[in-house]
Amino acid sequence: MATQSTKSFASQLTRYYSFYTGGFIAFVILVAILEQMGVPSKILGYMFLAATVLLYAGIGVMSRTADVSEYYVAGRRVPALFNGMATGADWMSAASFIGMAGTLYLSGYDGLAFVLGWTGGYVLVALFLAPYLRKFGQFTIPDFLGARYGGNAVRSIGVFAAILCSFTYVIAQIYGVGLITSRFTGLEFSIGVFVGLGGILVCSFLGGMKAVTWTQVAQYIILIVAYMIPVVWLSVKHTGNPVPQVAYGYVLEKVTEREKVLNDATTPDGAKEAEVRAIFKQRQTAAEDKLKALEERGADYLAEEKAKLIKVVDDLKAAKEPDATAIAAAEKAVADFPVDAAAATAAWKKAAAAAKAKTAPIAAHAEPFAGKDQEAIDKKRKNFLALVLCLMVGTAALPHILMRYYTTPSVQEARNSVFWSLFFIFLLYFTAPALAVLAKFDVYTLLVGSSFSELPSWVSAWAAVDKTLMSITDINKDGIVQLAEITIGGDLIVLATPEIAGLPYVITGLVAAGGLAAALSTADGLLLTIANALSHDVYYKMIDPHAPTTRRLAISKTLLLLVAVFAAYVTSLKPGDILFLVGAAFSLAASAFFPALVLGVFWKRANKTGAIIGMLAGLGTCAYYMYQTYPFFGVNAPLWWDINSISAGIFGMPAGFIGIILGSLLTAAPSKEVQELVDHVRYPSLEGDMKTEAA
């Protein structure tokens, strides 16, 4: 009877989402017709954003609930297929949708670390964690840690780690929401962040995991359609083949040929590129000379340099025919001049580094670990492998992903759900490399070599959002765009691809809606994870175990709102690009959770003391390394073995395993009850869940 009920529910969901998909396609066709009728693109952009947010809001309102099981785990009745779609949407965050193709665009082969790491991570989820945690049958990851290791100490560390990982991750999602909102509404980024926040809150606030799950299924449909249409369009445009994964090789050959021309100083295009790189080399040298003079002469040198700038302003104003544009630029140079030696050092180091990055020849997209010498090649290879490992392990330990497997009706459905998750994620991941190459080909052939007087409108539009995302400056004053004169941020590539390729605006709006869906879907799950950790694991489990349902849910919703507003504020400070923030979250999760979860399932000897030592050691090591090496914090300590800060988990994870193993071996073994719990969880084929669910 239960089986029949599950099948009936799945069939009902299939009908609902089939109607929804048809309605969405009809809406896209309507917008396309309106575009052909001459409706302004800004209005069409508002229509896309409003329609998608209102849709999610509608699902959130219809899914509102006051039931604890529905709020925390969607009533444990989500069929495997739909949980796979929801997990895919939860997983395909702003990093996957917006950032991954951009990273592949900028770093070529090296960017495949994200594809390999995240895909491999789901294999670890399937093998080591998903079925076992579902067998345990509670609400959150700290629930498992608290029951497995005993006491509130481990649970508290788990809560802190879950909040830290999820908060770092959610900042990246809100950044993506702010980016899209800002670009397509014309609002400032800091304001767009808070406007977009409303769309994030509307689902998770009302219905918890139930609302988030059914919204994420809808969001997956939008985001995968939005991702596939432009890349298929580009594939047909350049190769006549509608399968971009097949056309990928042909376009990559064309990109490689173009890179060789641009790097060859004996060709006209290559000579222009070399000319621009030489100018950047001069700028690098000038900045380094300033730093040297500042170190030698201090404040006196700073005062002299500012006086020179002031004199330039005075001379321009004293001219017979003052140039207002030149005067304004000179006055801005004075206003932007560093106020003290510390600010000057930071500014000139940044200028030197930015110029240096433009002096190198174009790195071949298809070349693995490209570098000027063997040392540089080895460094890239080392960081590639470290990042793959951190992403794999982090995937298998992220609380908001693991919580998804608490929502299925059974252990078998949890296993099936992992398969569907991999399938739905594969559709995007297998397409991202093709999108990166197709976009790069368009930049190389359409933008490079064009006239500055005829730059497309999307260049200035994106530059107005953030100059680190898009800027083109005529360095050698020849009026022609060279590749070295273009600055493109990775977070722009996917969102701007339709504009770069000259596709109809309806496709641009569709991609924006897809990016918004990706960011919102993950942000919903992350905020819910944070709120649940505080309300369920701290308040209910540790402070007031007898709290009524209404109070528990009210506290969860209040905390969710407060965390969301604080996360939006932090995002407005722009602490890093999307992909770094996401990568940092994975390193933190790998360090704090993976050793404790895996050993908790597969090693009965692991005990509370070991878990406390291991989780603190892993999380502490990882966080310390990030703080010391990530530029945002301003410490800029030397790297350990040349490992970038995004892969800090490579140090934190071993520390976690060593801490748990040594701590457990040096103290008493867990109780018989705990060891029996491990036996029960370890064999997920057994019937029934653990009788540990909260009332």
Side-chain angles (χ1 to χ4, degrees), residues 25-65:
I25 293 172
F27 172 76
V28 173
I29 294 172
L30 172 64
V31 175
I33 294 171
L34 292 174
E35 181 182 3
Q36 294 301 313
M37 293 172 62
V39 175
S41 58
K42 194 169 185 177
I43 299 298
L44 300 178
Y46 277 117
M47 288 180 62
F48 262 112
L49 295 178
T52 51
V53 171
L54 287 173
L55 171 68
Y56 307 147
I59 296 175
V61 171
M62 290 188 293
S63 302
R64 62 188 184 278
T65 182

Side-chain angles (χ1 to χ4, degrees), residues 554-611:
I555 289 174
S556 179
K557 292 177 180 180
T558 302
L559 290 169
L560 188 148
L561 180 62
L562 293 174
V563 170
V565 172
F566 181 62
Y569 167 72
V570 174
T571 304
S572 68
L573 302 177
K574 297 182 179 180
D577 62 35
I578 292 176
L579 218 58
F580 172 83
L581 291 168
V582 169
F586 279 77
S587 277
L588 291 167
S591 304
F593 287 115
F594 189 75
L597 291 172
V598 170
L599 292 178
V601 171
F602 295 98
W603 191 39
K604 290 193 287 186
R605 187 63 175 77
N607 64 16
K608 179 172 68 175
T609 303

Side-chain angles (χ1 to χ4, degrees), residues 512-584:
L516 191 65
L520 291 177
S521 63
T522 305
D524 286 336
L526 291 164
L527 288 173
L528 192 64
T529 297
I530 296 172
N532 288 354
L534 291 170
S535 64
H536 177 74
D537 294 298
V538 176
Y539 179 76
Y540 178 66
K541 289 288 187 175
M542 298 167 60
I543 298 175
D544 187 4
H546 305 292
T549 297
T550 53
R551 188 189 305 166
R552 292 168 62 187
L553 296 185
I555 289 174
S556 179
K557 292 177 180 180
T558 302
L559 290 169
L560 188 148
L561 180 62
L562 293 174
V563 170
V565 172
F566 181 62
Y569 167 72
V570 174
T571 304
S572 68
L573 302 177
K574 297 182 179 180
D577 62 35
I578 292 176
L579 218 58
F580 172 83
L581 291 168
V582 169

